[in-house]
Amino acid sequence: MYEYKLMCGIVGAVAQRNITEILIKGLQALEYRGYDSAGLAVVDSEGKMTCLRRTGKVQSLADAAKTQPLLGNTGIAHTRWATHGKPSELNAHPHLSTHIAVVHNGIIENYESLRNLLIHRGYNFTSETDTEVIAHLIDWQQRQQGGSLLEVMQPVVAQLSGTYGVVVMDSRDPARLVAARSGSPLVIGCGEGENFIASDELALLKVARRFIYLAEGDLVEMTHSSLSIFDGQGNAVQRAETAPQAQYHAGDKGLYRHYMQKEIHEQPLALQQTLTDRINNGKIDFSELGSDIADRLTNVQHIQIVACGTSYHAGLVARYWFESLAGIPCDVEISSEFRYRQPVVRANSLLITLSQSGETADTLAALRLSKTLGYLASLAICNVAGSSLVRESDMALMTKAGIEIGVASTKAFTTQLAVLLMLVAFMGKKKGRPEAVEHKIVHALQTLPVKITEILTWDNSIANLANNFYDKKHALFIGRGELYPIAMEGALKLKEISYIHAEAYAAGELKHGPLALIDENMPVIVIAPKNSLLEKLKSNIEEIRARGGELSIFTDKAAAFNESKGIKTIQLPQVDDIIAPIFYTVALQLLSYHVALIKKTDVDQPRNLAKSVTVE
Ligand code: M6R
């Protein structure tokens, strides 16, 4: 009966016009995160509250809203994603208690004891969720102490352990919303004579141009014309106002069939944006870090990277680069392991977190843990400027990929790699590497947007190749060196959106076990450009051929592979070894995309997944 909320969505509005449509449109903008049910509650100026909840897509909620009057100038709405506590109307938010309505992202860890306490006090529970305890606690507290919703919320949040972004409405005070944040992001959107709140500014781009991100522990009370923010100690505080951080009009797929396809094709532009202003006169310019901090990097003797999923794969590639190009020892770990492992910290170690969203719970927890362990400093490489990870790190370098909507990460990954490569050049110079290394990296990076544009023209050939995979149950991806993590990323992309079981191996490892799997039903995808490991990789390919394996080889002309029985090749343009991981990634993204198209899966919102994972 424990409810996990992997990136549910919240939208709230307090205005002087009917806000039902704004709430629904806001939820639709958050659909990409993955969810299984949706709901909203609105209250009119007379204090009449109407609540509507539906399982399935937000469209079902929108259709239902057309058939009954939903009038109100104040309201809250939610998309819920559950793994425990089945998707149902009763479990969907908002949750109600007498006059109170609540929407909530996060997990209330002590909900069972609170629930028992509230049952003992006479409350009936209608859902299996942890959120319902918040609604009843507020109602109870109001009955005990009276006072405004804000005054009641302070003692209520003090009783909650776990994580929450919560927005609350009281039908007896219909022109006001109160919200609290702890571990789950909330952003206020300021409109003209109206105020909004959401778990992601994307939900509010159509109604607000100024945004205020709440800090950990903040409570806010908002009406259509006022905002009062209080920190965890109850002091009135001001939080900085920011312009929208969405660089691209994310709600529009244009001529593309899917956001993922659009985002794959946006990569030349995203990479250009990420490189611009950071390369000056053939040198890396990270003046954005400030001179003091940049000087501290001179003392770095070790790098620890932590990240999850695709971002973790970017870290694995960077390890090869940091060690071979900058001579700095580097370790990489999955955040969920790092946070519970009691790591021993090397002297003068820099902690680097990688995250598209900047809200991934395990990566945030790893960052928070690192602060107690004596790292030299923390650096976030992230795609969302106002995110918790960026705000809580000592320094940050933004990937400038624009908002990524598809659950399968594409342009965020390649721009992470571009930032990491710039950092390798920058740190290498600080560690006394010859200038030629920086020049080589800069030169390779400058060719990147054009090279990625070029590889996108291979779309049709890769689409043809996809016909060999759609009916397969399993696939193996192999590579060597820094292309091994790219094989891992290729396998993750394929399993994520086509539901084909795919694994990646360092090619030299095959004979230690996985060769037993090779037969005609186990396609093997190889990343094999001409590089210093090609001859080794060719021996591994022969081992597969000798056992009847079916190979699809992503390669270049210089590697000199010929098509023959059991071998298909995609011969791509030659690129500098340094950027090969970024270049070959795009080819594998296209492969997964086309396999998913043939299989007719939900490309942008694959089953069981959410865009960012804000609880562990
Ligand atoms: O937002 P983050 O980069 O921290 O997210 C980490 C992973 O959840 C994410 O990369 C996930 O693996 C993607 N869906 C992969 O495409």
Side-chain angles (χ1 to χ4, degrees):
M1 224 172 47
Y2 202 68
E3 189 189 25
Y4 290 84
K5 298 186 192 68
L6 282 143
M7 221 47 206
C8 313
I10 287 179
V11 190
V14 47
Q16 292 172 291
R17 56 176 167 151
N18 184 24
I19 41 69
T20 307
E21 200 182 331
I22 294 173
L23 295 180
I24 290 175
K25 289 232 152 54
L27 290 185
Q28 278 166 338
L30 299 181
E31 281 193 292
Y32 72 97
R33 286 156 177 269
Y35 66 98
D36 49 55
S37 52
L40 59 81
V42 294
V43 59
D44 67 16
S45 52
E46 308 295 307
K48 179 169 179 279
M49 183 150 74
T50 318
C51 182
L52 190 63
R53 301 181 289 188
R54 287 291 180 273
T55 53
K57 296 280 176 191
V58 175
Q59 193 54 48
S60 318
L61 185 74
D63 292 343
K66 283 185 200 137
T67 63
Q68 72 179 88
L70 272 172
L71 294 175
N73 294 354
T74 304
I76 53 179
H78 190 262
T79 45
R80 171 178 182 255
W81 193 104
T83 58
H84 295 66
K86 60 183 179 297
S88 68
E89 277 183 26
L90 285 179
N91 285 337
H93 302 206
H95 288 288
L96 310 178
S97 185
T98 323
H99 305 281
I100 299 295
V102 173
V103 289
H104 163 227
N105 285 359
I107 289 177
I108 304 305
E109 287 169 356
N110 59 338
Y111 92 99
E112 270 185 307
S113 58
L114 291 172
R115 186 179 167 107
N116 290 337
L117 178 72
L118 287 158
I119 289 171
H120 183 69
R121 288 174 179 167
Y123 284 92
N124 285 324
F125 279 76
T126 56
S127 79
E128 300 167 292
T129 68
D130 51 344
T131 301
E132 199 178 347
V133 299
I134 306 176
H136 295 318
L137 268 182
I138 296 169
D139 182 70
W140 170 262
Q141 200 68 37
Q142 268 189 338
R143 289 173 195 272
Q144 301 310 301
Q145 75 175 65
S148 70
L149 191 54
L150 177 74
E151 285 161 345
V152 166
M153 276 299 278
Q154 278 158 342
V156 165
V157 295
Q159 295 172 64
L160 304 176
S161 11
T163 55
Y164 51 84
V166 65
V167 186
V168 183
M169 188 168 77
D170 181 343
S171 61
R172 287 164 303 181
D173 188 6
R176 203 175 304 274
L177 290 177
V178 171
R181 178 209 157 130
S182 181
S184 221
L186 283 176
V187 57
I188 295 165
C190 309
E192 296 306 320
E194 49 195 19
N195 283 314
F196 306 93
I197 190 158
S199 50
D200 182 329
E201 69 174 49
L202 202 53
L204 306 179
L205 286 179
K206 293 209 164 88
V207 286
R209 300 314 290 164
R210 293 174 294 124
F211 293 93
I212 298 170
Y213 280 84
L214 294 183
E216 280 297 280
D218 279 358
L219 258 178
V220 60
E221 181 188 56
M222 52 198 268
T223 67
H224 72 86
S225 57
S226 68
L227 281 176
S228 311
I229 306 178
F230 303 88
D231 67 13
Q233 283 68 50
N235 305 310
V237 285
Q238 300 282 338
R239 300 286 177 217
E241 217 173 85
T242 60
Q245 281 149 21
Q247 288 134 329
Y248 304 132
H249 184 42
D252 184 5
K253 284 197 281 258
L255 295 176
Y256 294 103
R257 282 178 72 180
H258 296 99
Y259 284 110
M260 181 186 182
Q261 185 192 26
K262 174 174 177 260
E263 287 156 6
I264 290 173
H265 286 265
E266 277 172 355
Q267 287 177 111
L269 175 63
L271 286 162
Q272 190 60 61
Q273 297 232 138
T274 299
L275 299 176
T276 298
D277 298 336
R278 287 163 165 169
I279 297 180
N280 274 327
N281 296 323
K283 294 188 179 3
I284 301 297
D285 178 352
F286 275 154
S287 45
E288 65 199 277
L289 290 175
S291 56
D292 288 0
I293 287 197
D295 285 347
R296 271 162 82 188
L297 294 181
T298 313
N299 301 324
V300 170
Q301 289 174 343
H302 172 257
I303 289 172
Q304 174 68 59
I305 298 179
V306 287
C308 302
T310 287
S311 296
Y312 168 68
H313 296 153
L316 290 177
V317 177
R319 179 175 59 172
Y320 287 89
W321 288 337
F322 274 119
E323 300 205 342
S324 66
L325 297 169
I328 305 173
C330 176
D331 290 296
V332 189
E333 191 158 9
I334 294 167
S335 312
S336 56
E337 287 299 311
F338 178 87
R339 65 181 288 193
Y340 291 118
R341 194 174 57 78
Q342 300 176 331
V344 174
V345 182
R346 311 263 190 100
N348 291 325
S349 183
L350 171 70
L351 184 97
I352 300 181
T353 53
L354 302 176
S355 176
Q356 186 286 127
S357 61
E359 300 295 347
T360 301
D362 283 321
T363 305
L364 264 173
L367 169 67
R368 289 170 186 157
L369 171 74
S370 76
K371 293 183 180 190
T372 66
L373 297 177
Y375 282 94
L376 193 66
S378 57
L379 165 66
I381 296 178
C382 188
N383 199 39
V384 181
S387 62
S388 308
L389 201 69
V390 170
R391 281 185 283 108
E392 294 183 31
S393 297
D394 298 326
M395 49 190 147
L397 290 169
M398 304 312 301
T399 46
K400 299 182 184 173
I403 286 180
E404 193 179 66
I405 302 278
V407 164
S409 188
T410 52
K411 60 181 181 169
F413 178 69
T414 48
T415 53
Q416 277 172 349
L417 289 176
V419 171
L420 283 161
L421 206 37
M422 285 189 276
L423 189 64
V424 167
F426 182 77
M427 303 262 308
K429 191 160 67 180
K430 293 208 167 288
K431 302 304 288 180
R433 286 270 146 159
E435 274 199 359
V437 176
E438 183 183 19
H439 288 161
K440 193 172 150 53
I441 295 175
V442 165
H443 175 73
L445 279 170
Q446 282 171 327
T447 65
L448 201 49
V450 170
K451 287 292 176 192
I452 301 300
T453 308
E454 228 176 302
I455 198 173
L456 291 170
T457 64
W458 256 256
D459 195 39
N460 282 341
S461 321
I462 296 174
N464 282 337
L465 186 72
N467 289 312
N468 301 327
F469 295 97
Y470 75 94
D471 56 346
K472 296 288 190 266
K473 296 248 174 320
H474 311 277
L476 204 58
F477 286 69
I478 61 170
R480 295 193 76 129
E482 64 271 38
L483 294 170
Y484 164 45
I486 298 308
M488 295 169 81
E489 173 59 11
L492 178 63
K493 269 320 67 108
L494 189 71
K495 68 182 116 179
E496 205 175 9
I497 61 167
S498 76
Y499 314 151
I500 293 173
H501 169 230
E503 295 304 332
Y505 269 90
E509 190 65 11
L510 285 181
K511 60 177 89 59
H512 300 290
L515 264 187
L517 296 171
I518 299 298
D519 63 17
E520 67 284 2
N521 295 316
M522 172 65 89
V524 183
I525 296 111
V526 193
I527 311 161
K530 172 106 179 92
N531 63 19
S532 62
L533 289 169
L534 181 66
E535 292 313 313
K536 306 275 177 209
L537 184 57
K538 282 189 168 174
S539 308
N540 305 136
I541 287 171
E542 286 311 316
E543 293 161 6
I544 296 167
R545 283 190 80 187
R547 286 155 185 88
E550 300 277 331
L551 290 140
S552 297
I553 306 180
F554 287 83
T555 184
D556 55 20
K557 199 167 169 200
F561 281 100
N562 292 319
E563 290 227 338
S564 60
K565 189 170 172 337
I567 295 195
K568 297 208 162 33
T569 61
I570 295 280
Q571 204 178 85
L572 299 169
Q574 198 86 29
V575 289
D576 194 311
D577 283 1
I578 293 182
I579 56 164
I582 306 178
F583 184 75
Y584 281 87
T585 293
V586 178
L588 298 183
Q589 292 169 351
L590 289 171
L591 178 67
S592 299
Y593 176 70
H594 286 293
V595 175
L597 273 191
I598 300 170
K599 292 197 73 180
K600 298 192 170 56
T601 56
D602 190 344
V603 172
D604 286 331
Q605 292 167 35
R607 68 185 182 200
N608 307 337
L609 298 180
K611 179 61 186 163
S612 51
V613 183
T614 56
V615 294
E616 76 173 299

